[in-house]
Amino acid sequence: KITSQMRVLSKKRDYASRVALYQQLLNAELLLYVDEDSPKVYGTIGKFKSYALFTEDKYYYHYDPRGVDVIRKYGHEIFYELHQLKAGSVWINPKGQVGGELYQNEIEMLAKAMYRR
């Protein structure tokens, strides 16, 4: 589970744990917070837009008990899309018990990891 690996990384903070989390994020089906099928802006970091995604249904209900509009996509698709949008960051499970934020350099690295030629 992604959240289990997030907990491991929060304790170990080592390279192997970070890479394991990145691999899980790329290969998992995630829930992208959207507005009419386009990623919904969640906030900003400096002059860049931030977006949000959820690892499981329960986390978007934690965010808003009424539910929010999401699209289920594989992580590699989401990170490629967010990189194309020049996202400053992406929040994972915002307001959830287990979450975090990936920054622009991490989004770029994840996007390029799947689309190298």
Side-chain angles (χ1 to χ4, degrees):
K1 247 179 155 177
I2 293 172
T3 53
S4 297
Q5 187 59 38
M6 291 173 80
R7 284 188 176 104
V8 168
L9 179 59
S10 74
K11 291 175 185 160
K12 287 189 172 184
R13 298 206 174 268
D14 63 354
Y15 181 75
S17 299
R18 183 170 299 279
V19 169
L21 176 61
Y22 289 157
Q23 288 173 334
Q24 286 183 8
L25 286 168
L26 286 171
N27 294 316
E29 281 190 323
L30 303 170
L31 302 158
L32 179 62
Y33 188 24
V34 296
D35 183 18
E36 296 184 15
D37 297 334
S38 294
K40 182 176 177 76
V41 175
Y42 177 72
T44 59
I45 182 167
K47 63 181 181 177
F48 297 98
K49 295 175 183 172
S50 295
Y51 299 90
L53 62 84
F54 304 93
T55 57
E56 300 171 53
D57 295 345
K58 69 180 180 181
Y59 290 111
Y60 70 79
Y61 285 115
H62 245 141
Y63 174 72
D64 187 335
R66 298 167 296 176
V68 295
D69 291 335
V70 294
I71 291 179
R72 187 176 300 273
K73 291 184 173 184
Y74 282 99
H76 64 88
E77 297 171 308
I78 291 172
F79 290 107
Y80 182 79
E81 185 174 359
L82 295 179
H83 176 59
Q84 297 302 305
L85 292 171
K86 298 183 181 353
S89 72
V90 60
W91 286 89
I92 301 170
N93 299 331
K95 299 184 184 178
Q97 291 177 327
V98 180
E101 184 177 20
L102 297 177
Y103 298 102
Q104 193 171 46
N105 62 316
E106 293 171 292
I107 294 167
E108 179 180 11
M109 183 265 310
L110 289 169
K112 289 181 176 180
M114 292 300 291
Y115 295 96
R116 283 195 180 121
R117 298 190 190 234

